[in-house]
Amino acid sequence: MKKIKTIGVLTSGGDAPGMNAAIRAVVRTSTYHGCHVLGIQRGFTGLLENLFIPLQNHSVAQKISLGGTFLKSSRCPEFKTRKARSAAWQNIQLQGIDALVVIGGDGSFRGADLLVKEFGLPVIGVPGTIDNDIYGTDYTIGFDTAVNTAVQAVDKLRDTADSHNMVFFVEVMGRDAGFIALNTSISTGAEATMIPEVQTDIGKLCEYLELERRKNKTSGIIIVAEGEEQGSASAVAAKVKERLPNYETRVTTLGHVQRGGSPTANDRVLASILGHDAVVALLDGKTGMMVGVVNNQTVFTPFHEAYSRHREINKRWVNIAYILSL
Ligand code: ADP
């Protein structure tokens, strides 16, 4: 096996708070072990367009607290073609990159897996996405920050909901998973949570709202995951309004504010540990895997498993959210 002297690092797919902390950890760990680091800008696009920048320890000073990714990210549809990946491989060889750390979501791991399988490049993936929907880790980098952002927003909406006896339908991100919605809901004491993993009956939701009102509850917060099968927060609000025309309803879609901002301490710690462990794994000869944390232990999951398996939501927590809202 070729000795690893130069490690490349890139961020790909949707940006997430904490990606900078992960890059920093990759750079500092590599330097500690005597390796050089090349940062690749704009994800897989940078491999095609030769966007390489040398990174030293000082290059990542004061980056740990910054949201987004200073290496920038992109979607690179061409990377799905063998031709583009071969061009990338040529550039990787020309730059003398011996191994790669890919920070991103499941799409990025599909691309990374092909680099391993087609060209034998050692690659380790680091899960960076606010959605927390990746199999093989309890938490993804960015999730905690996104939930905290959503919680702050919902706390503010609660003031208005309460002052005006309103029901707010708040749409949070999460693609086709309800992790952000569930944690936001538990943290804000929302009256109901609508997530794709659990079927919601609009009739039952309306009965529940009526019951709450009879108990003199003056406000209502319904958290709707963006992947909810009943539709968007506005679609759900319209269905409820049809059955309960006297209710004052409002809709707020939090959108991309959830992706930005300074990462929380939890995300910084997670990113630092995973970034460190990704480099150590490469130096130990591991490849084709994502590094994650399960029960506070670092674990490695083959890429194909990480992107093809489905991470289950904790149904017990769904039930607890319901009990605590009564
Ligand atoms: P995320 O990594 O956050 O899931 P995407 O799904 O957009 O984000 O994937 C990021 C990038 O990974 C894509 O723009 C593309 O360059 C690459 N990618 C995704 N799927 C594949 C695939 N099947 N084959 C090769 N590359 C892929």
Side-chain angles (χ1 to χ4, degrees):
M1 197 178 66
K2 196 173 161 210
K3 187 167 164 23
I4 293 173
K5 286 191 237 125
T6 301
I7 294 180
V9 58
L10 61 83
T11 47
S12 166
D15 67 306
M19 280 184 161
N20 284 322
I23 299 166
R24 171 182 177 272
V26 168
V27 172
R28 299 259 163 113
T29 309
S30 301
T31 308
Y32 178 83
H33 289 284
C35 296
H36 298 290
V37 182
L38 278 181
I40 298 138
Q41 293 173 307
R42 303 191 54 227
F44 293 124
T45 305
L47 291 177
L48 301 178
E49 296 182 3
N50 280 307
L51 307 174
F52 298 97
I53 47 165
L55 297 175
Q56 284 95 25
N57 278 359
H58 64 80
S59 323
V60 289
Q62 269 114 62
K63 293 282 192 275
I64 196 164
S65 57
L66 296 182
T69 158
F70 82 94
L71 283 179
K72 302 192 182 292
S73 190
S74 72
R75 314 267 180 199
C76 175
E78 309 94 280
F79 210 71
K80 291 186 184 167
T81 66
R82 168 89 193 201
K83 190 163 165 246
R85 292 193 299 275
S86 297
W89 172 236
Q90 290 302 315
N91 293 334
I92 289 168
Q93 287 174 296
L94 283 173
Q95 292 295 326
I97 293 175
D98 304 311
L100 185 65
V101 176
V102 170
I103 305 166
D106 53 358
S108 304
F109 298 156
R110 283 175 197 272
D113 202 22
L114 291 170
L115 286 177
V116 177
K117 289 184 173 147
E118 293 173 344
F119 312 110
L121 178 72
V123 188
I124 292 287
V126 175
T129 162
I130 62 166
D131 304 327
N132 210 34
D133 58 349
I134 298 190
Y135 181 84
T137 189
D138 287 345
Y139 294 103
T140 57
I141 297 165
F143 171 68
D144 188 61
T145 307
V147 169
N148 276 283
T149 302
V151 167
Q152 281 180 19
V154 173
D155 283 349
K156 290 184 173 133
L157 295 173
R158 175 73 83 179
D159 292 345
T160 301
D162 213 22
S163 306
H164 293 271
N165 286 5
M166 282 170 178
V167 177
F168 267 83
F169 294 83
V170 186
E171 186 172 311
V172 299
M173 280 185 158
R175 281 197 301 190
D176 47 6
F179 296 99
I180 295 180
L182 179 58
N183 279 31
T184 302
S185 198
I186 292 173
S187 304
T188 56
E191 276 60 39
T193 321
M194 297 177 68
I195 55 175
E197 293 87 345
V198 179
Q199 242 193 346
T200 311
D201 180 329
I202 296 283
K204 284 217 173 95
L205 175 67
C206 292
E207 273 171 32
Y208 168 77
L209 287 173
E210 294 246 83
L211 183 78
E212 292 287 289
R213 197 139 283 193
R214 282 202 294 277
K215 287 195 296 189
N216 285 330
K217 205 160 196 182
T218 50
S219 66
I221 299 280
I222 318 289
I223 306 291
V224 185
E226 72 174 316
E228 165 57 30
E229 281 170 6
Q230 295 277 354
S232 64
S234 1
V236 173
K239 287 180 191 173
V240 169
K241 188 83 182 162
E242 230 170 69
R243 291 170 192 242
L244 303 172
N246 297 331
Y247 275 60
E248 276 259 36
T249 57
R250 293 289 183 277
V251 176
T252 300
T253 302
L254 296 183
H256 283 79
V257 290
Q258 293 160 98
R259 286 247 292 259
S262 179
T264 58
N266 278 340
D267 272 331
R268 295 180 200 195
V269 171
L270 180 68
S272 300
I273 303 302
L274 295 185
H276 169 272
D277 288 352
V279 170
V280 171
L282 285 170
L283 297 177
D284 282 350
K286 289 195 175 69
T287 179
M289 290 188 271
M290 181 197 84
V291 61
V293 64
V294 175
N295 294 333
N296 273 328
Q297 301 291 321
T298 294
V299 294
F300 293 88
T301 305
F303 278 139
H304 70 88
E305 224 178 304
Y307 60 66
S308 51
R309 290 187 67 169
H310 188 68
R311 189 166 127 67
E312 299 281 318
I313 202 129
N314 189 334
K315 292 269 166 61
R316 209 173 73 80
W317 286 25
V318 175
N319 193 41
I320 291 172
Y322 171 70
I323 290 169
L324 299 185
S325 72
L326 292 174

